Amino acid sequence: MKENETTENSSLPDHTTRLDANLHNAIQLTQSPAIPHTGASRDITTIGKGESFPLGAHVCPGGVNFSIFSNKAAFIDLLLFDSPEASAPERIIHLNPKKHRTNQYWHVFVPGITAGQIYGYRAYGQFEPHRGHRFDLGKLLLDPYGKAVAVPAGYSRLRASLPGNNISSAMKSVVADLSAYDWEGDAPIKRSFAETIIYELHVKGFTMHPSSGIALEKRGTFAGLIKKIPYLQQLGITAIELMPVFQFDEQDCPQGLKNYWGYCPVSFFAPHHTYSTKKNPLAALDEFRDMVKAMHKAGIEVILDVVFNHTAEGNEHGPTICFKGLGNKTYYILEKDRARYADYTRTGNTLNTNNAIVKRLIIDSLHYWVQEMHIDGFRFDLASIMSRDVYGSPVDEPPILFDIDSDPVLAGIKLIAEAWDADGLYQVGGFIGDNWKEWNNRFRDDVRSFMKGDDNTVSHFASRIIGSPDIYGHEEREPEQSINFITCHDGFTLNDLVSYNFKHNQPNGENNLDGLDYNISWNCGIEGQSFDRNIEALRTRQIKNFLAITLFSLGTPMLYMGDEVRRTQKGNNNAYCQDNETNWLDWALMEKNKDILRFTRLLILGRLHRDAEYRDYGLSLNKMLKKARIEWHGIKLHKPDWGSDSHSIAMTAWSLSAKFVIHLMVNAYWGELSFELPPVADDERRVWLRWLDTALPSPDDIMPLPEAAVITTPDYIVQPRSVVLLIAGTEKT
């Protein structure tokens, strides 16, 4: 063993002492060729200078070119391994700054290796937290541009957080060659938002439950997801939005639990290894692409939920996995006390997204997922973080957002912003750029409040169902700018929204202090599971109400996995660390709650048919509302009650072609109400057809139009807490 090389069991002094000794040794090492760690008989004299571009590990004829950014490192070592669990590298290549560094980039060409080679880096530099430097040569570092990650069975987040060598317990990068995959002519679909219905799901949770009918080895994987494409097609959605699939740290959660959601990335290029059916890290690349290709063949787009606002490295007490050890103050926004991290995400750190290096990393990542993995769009978690400058202050023209918005590679690719962060920066209705759509949490909150029966909500509710012009009317943007949702991964499921008044997060191990306390939920009379038929009927009605409003309203609708069959998390509104049946979709619910599933399918079908008549794809929301004929009513025609204690509203809307007329009646009151019906039209062949009434039992709750009941009375009794939608069509003969 050379004097600068340590094993996992070596006794290491504190950071500063260790640093000084190793810097001295590193200087000596750069004066001679790289040496194999284990004495392997390889010709090391052919190690090449390499090139600074492309970043990452690039397979070339005869070997691999490695390139990595680190502007403050004194020296860089490239370590090659025979296995993820190796306690020592099979080979160490010391990069000589005179030969292997160009400006801020370290690079080397290594002959004789190819795809599948396991590797990592260690960086020599100053450990001076008060100056923002956290170099620690005891820590093995991932390649920020690595396309695959190998996770040893003994991976330890704790070992990466404490002083000492963590080689055997560290994640490692894997060389990948992407050129051989056969896409069979596949490409991103680029469907318009006007034709899009999004279904948010978790790769593992969608098929992991034993009831899924998926073979054990494919449960919870990209391959398992392919098996459920027929279900997605029958449901009628046009796009799936996958919760994070970038490699993440499953140990980033309370001890004894597992991070399940994945909002703690360690790589922005590698798919998460456990979503593959095989232990080979490269298999995840092929299986992910197989999934995308299969979805596209079925006409379904794939949108990724991406986390570019923080990483799994946490705060000053967190682990060193990658970015901390290569350029801490480059990658992260630091406080004035440079030893501490700015935390606008409530996860411990905040990525410095408008730093040139980090900005390039993000753009390169997006390009990779579009060009190499054929992704159709991205939903950006806590996207308002990206409008903060290098000091954490919001700026009017953030470079990263404008670069994404105007990027030619991303033209036609769906861009969706969660337009807020965890430190109070709220930009819904004002997010920068021309092509961004926004998660509209005011749609969520206002529809919840109105349907719950809260006061002072009717005018807000009315605005939400016509595309939220009070939020988006100042911009001449398309109606689909608002992503309309009632539930998502963060918060109650739709079943729990109508079953719990309070969060029940005790299983998370944080004394029920995590998760939001303000849920705008109503348990319909009993907290949690109920065997009372009346309460269950009311809950089912409320679920149908929420589904109907989401899919009727102007904007882009989004549904959450399992809401169409009343999936429950037993009141847990922050189930990020529950990798168990709390989060897994129970496929037995498809039969148990088949009436709601049928209701959802027919709603989606009706939505897609309606849009063909009600949408002029060239009009902005403002122009569409000006061109459209819309009349508001209360229980009396043309007399809407906008008062603070109003709990009902009705609306008549004519399609732009005048072929159809829709009459919507919403009763969020606790008693039945009789609504006057408007005359259909001068055409005597037209009558009102009852498309849906959420108070009626299945199958009368929603019917295909050819089978819909004819309504001939001058008024219609709308039951308590229910939604009715009539459509004027030609009377059946």
Side-chain angles (χ1 to χ4, degrees):
M1 182 184 301
K2 305 301 178 184
E3 63 177 339
N4 68 299
E5 296 166 2
T6 60
T7 66
E8 187 111 357
N9 297 320
S10 297
S11 176
L12 294 175
D14 63 67
H15 287 292
T16 304
T17 304
R18 182 174 69 252
L19 175 65
D20 292 341
N22 283 306
L23 277 176
H24 173 77
N25 291 333
I27 293 172
Q28 303 302 314
L29 288 165
T30 58
Q31 298 174 1
S32 60
I35 54 176
H37 182 69
T38 59
S41 57
R42 293 190 182 181
D43 181 5
I44 61 173
T45 61
T46 58
I47 296 294
K49 174 183 177 181
E51 301 291 340
S52 60
F53 182 85
L55 285 161
H58 182 65
V59 177
C60 308
V64 175
N65 187 84
F66 295 86
S67 178
I68 191 169
F69 165 85
S70 186
N71 63 335
K72 296 298 182 181
F75 305 101
I76 295 284
D77 283 349
L78 171 65
L79 284 66
L80 305 181
F81 298 89
D82 284 337
S83 72
E85 289 78 19
S87 60
E90 184 269 340
R91 191 178 184 189
I92 298 176
I93 299 172
H94 307 288
L95 305 191
N96 186 326
K98 294 182 180 180
K99 178 180 179 181
H100 298 115
R101 178 171 182 170
T102 303
N103 297 334
Q104 301 170 334
Y105 298 93
W106 300 79
H107 45 81
V108 64
F109 177 78
V110 183
I113 62 173
T114 187
Q117 175 65 58
I118 300 170
Y119 70 101
Y121 291 96
R122 63 183 179 190
Y124 300 74
Q126 298 297 327
F127 185 83
E128 297 178 326
H130 67 283
R131 295 179 58 195
H133 301 308
R134 290 183 176 272
F135 291 99
D136 182 353
L137 64 89
K139 298 299 178 286
L140 188 72
L141 307 175
L142 288 174
D143 180 353
Y145 279 74
K147 305 305 188 294
V149 173
V151 181
Y155 167 70
S156 172
R157 179 177 175 85
L158 180 61
R159 291 298 298 273
S161 304
L162 299 175
N165 189 309
N166 74 328
I167 283 179
S168 67
S169 62
M171 297 186 194
K172 299 170 179 67
S173 296
V174 183
V175 175
D177 183 0
L178 303 169
S179 63
Y181 186 79
D182 183 6
W183 276 106
E184 303 177 77
D186 179 80
I189 294 174
K190 296 188 177 182
R191 178 182 289 114
S192 73
F193 270 98
E195 303 169 296
T196 296
I197 297 174
I198 300 171
Y199 186 78
E200 185 190 31
L201 66 84
H202 189 280
V203 171
K204 184 172 187 178
F206 199 57
T207 63
M208 191 62 192
H209 198 281
S211 64
S212 68
I214 302 296
L216 182 60
E217 67 274 10
K218 291 186 177 181
R219 290 181 197 165
T221 67
F222 299 125
L225 192 51
I226 293 174
K227 296 293 184 181
K228 291 300 183 180
I229 287 177
Y231 174 81
L232 297 172
Q233 290 178 301
Q234 292 165 11
L235 186 59
I237 56 92
T238 68
I240 55 173
E241 182 175 298
L242 302 181
M243 291 172 65
V245 299
F246 293 1
Q247 181 66 44
F248 60 88
D249 186 354
E250 294 183 348
Q251 294 182 13
D252 188 5
C253 61
Q255 189 173 5
L257 299 173
K258 183 185 292 186
N259 193 303
Y260 166 84
W261 279 357
Y263 291 91
C264 49
V266 298
S267 171
F268 299 121
F269 293 85
H272 192 59
H273 71 294
T274 65
Y275 295 161
S276 168
T277 63
K278 301 178 178 65
K279 291 185 178 181
N280 179 359
L282 296 182
L285 292 166
D286 283 343
E287 293 183 17
F288 179 88
R289 289 181 286 188
D290 289 344
M291 180 271 296
V292 172
K293 185 165 62 176
M295 289 291 171
H296 286 176
K297 287 181 178 179
I300 298 172
E301 292 186 298
V302 180
I303 301 170
L304 298 187
D305 193 339
V306 291
V307 185
F308 291 121
N309 56 75
H310 74 281
T311 76
E313 290 187 306
N315 61 17
E316 56 272 16
H317 305 296
T320 297
I321 300 173
C322 176
F323 306 101
K324 279 184 180 179
L326 290 169
N328 185 58
K329 69 178 184 178
T330 293
Y331 287 105
Y332 297 111
I333 300 176
L334 304 178
E335 298 282 12
K336 290 183 180 180
D337 174 2
R338 312 302 279 171
R340 299 175 62 84
Y341 293 80
D343 187 9
Y344 304 112
T345 64
R346 296 296 181 264
T347 61
N349 64 54
T350 304
L351 272 175
N352 193 4
T353 58
N354 283 294
N355 173 279
I357 298 301
V358 184
K359 181 163 67 76
R360 182 182 299 118
L361 175 74
I362 293 171
I363 296 293
D364 287 348
S365 171
L366 297 174
H367 285 181
Y368 170 77
W369 289 100
V370 170
Q371 294 175 312
E372 298 290 348
M373 310 302 264
H374 291 200
I375 287 303
D376 300 278
F378 304 94
R379 178 264 184 190
F380 292 75
D381 181 65
L382 296 182
S384 290
I385 290 290
M386 302 171 77
S387 67
R388 294 184 182 271
D389 64 17
V390 295
Y391 304 104
S393 301
V395 293
D396 292 334
E397 298 184 359
I400 179 63
L401 294 180
F402 277 105
D403 281 4
I404 293 172
D405 187 61
S406 61
D407 190 283
V409 174
L410 303 179
I413 298 299
K414 289 180 168 61
L415 303 174
I416 302 171
E418 185 181 33
W420 58 84
D421 67 17
D423 201 55
L425 184 56
Y426 185 79
Q427 299 174 319
V428 173
F431 201 72
I432 300 299
D434 297 326
N435 298 304
W436 293 89
K437 307 300 182 288
E438 300 171 9
W439 268 25
N440 188 352
N441 66 331
R442 288 181 59 183
F443 179 95
R444 175 197 66 194
D445 293 351
D446 290 339
V447 174
R448 285 186 182 189
S449 292
F450 182 74
M451 297 308 303
K452 177 173 170 283
D454 291 343
D455 290 339
N456 298 300
T457 57
V458 65
S459 61
H460 295 303
F461 175 79
S463 181
R464 299 302 152 254
I465 63 178
I466 59 171
S468 297
D470 57 328
I471 299 175
Y472 299 109
H474 65 289
E475 299 177 316
E476 288 299 324
R477 292 287 304 278
E478 59 277 16
E480 298 78 31
Q481 187 174 359
S482 174
I483 305 294
N484 297 333
F485 66 102
I486 300 296
T487 58
C488 63
H489 68 274
D490 194 359
F492 283 144
T493 65
L494 196 50
N495 175 82
D496 292 358
L497 183 68
V498 301
S499 304
Y500 294 89
N501 285 350
F502 310 100
K503 66 183 181 183
H504 295 267
N505 297 356
Q506 291 84 355
N508 295 353
E510 300 182 44
N511 297 316
N512 206 35
L513 297 176
D514 63 306
L516 293 177
D517 295 315
Y518 182 64
N519 296 285
I520 321 178
S521 61
W522 177 47
N523 64 17
C524 297
I526 293 178
E527 187 74 358
Q529 185 178 12
S530 172
F531 298 98
D532 185 305
R533 290 185 177 180
N534 292 328
I535 287 178
E536 281 300 289
L538 177 55
R539 288 176 175 176
T540 294
R541 187 185 307 176
Q542 286 285 72
I543 288 171
K544 291 178 180 179
N545 291 339
F546 285 125
L547 290 168
I549 294 302
T550 301
L551 285 158
F552 170 83
S553 300
L554 275 178
T556 304
M558 185 184 79
L559 306 178
Y560 181 39
M561 176 186 88
D563 278 350
E564 71 277 15
V565 291
R566 290 191 64 174
R567 185 179 75 85
T568 180
Q569 293 175 179
K570 299 180 180 178
N572 193 325
N573 75 349
N574 188 37
Y576 78 100
C577 56
Q578 298 298 318
D579 188 6
N580 50 51
E581 293 189 11
T582 299
N583 270 312
W584 303 343
L585 177 56
D586 183 352
W587 288 82
L589 294 173
M590 277 63 182
E591 177 62 28
K592 180 180 180 181
N593 295 310
K594 59 185 178 182
D595 60 325
I596 302 178
L597 178 58
R598 172 185 176 274
F599 184 86
T600 307
R601 285 172 173 168
L602 287 176
L603 265 177
I604 291 174
L605 182 62
R607 161 87 185 203
L608 295 173
H609 285 173
R610 182 207 74 174
D611 279 357
E613 288 295 328
Y614 277 77
R615 195 63 54 86
D616 184 332
Y617 300 135
L619 292 181
S620 67
L621 174 62
N622 287 339
K623 291 179 180 178
M624 179 175 290
L625 293 178
K626 288 179 181 179
K627 185 176 180 180
R629 181 183 172 188
I630 297 176
E631 296 177 353
W632 295 100
H633 317 284
I635 58 175
K636 299 293 185 181
L637 290 177
H638 308 294
K639 294 182 180 180
D641 182 356
W642 302 111
S644 62
D645 59 350
S646 174
H647 301 289
S648 64
I649 193 70
M651 180 185 75
T652 309
W654 283 256
S655 67
L656 296 179
S657 67
K659 185 177 180 180
F660 289 103
V661 184
I662 288 176
H663 186 67
L664 173 72
M665 296 171 283
V666 183
N667 179 13
Y669 188 59
W670 37 92
E672 67 179 35
L673 295 173
S674 179
F675 285 77
E676 289 183 350
L677 297 182
V680 177
D682 295 335
D683 190 338
E684 294 181 355
R685 294 174 300 171
R686 286 190 170 184
V687 294
W688 284 120
L689 302 176
R690 186 182 64 214
W691 182 41
L692 69 86
D693 183 339
T694 60
L696 296 176
S698 183
D700 294 327
D701 54 349
I702 186 169
M703 298 291 289
L705 277 181
E707 304 172 29
V710 177
I711 305 299
T712 58
T713 56
D715 50 25
Y716 191 97
I717 296 177
V718 181
Q719 296 300 315
R721 303 187 187 278
S722 60
V723 174
V724 176
L725 188 62
L726 309 180
I727 298 180
T730 302
E731 186 173 6
K732 295 171 290 186
T733 57

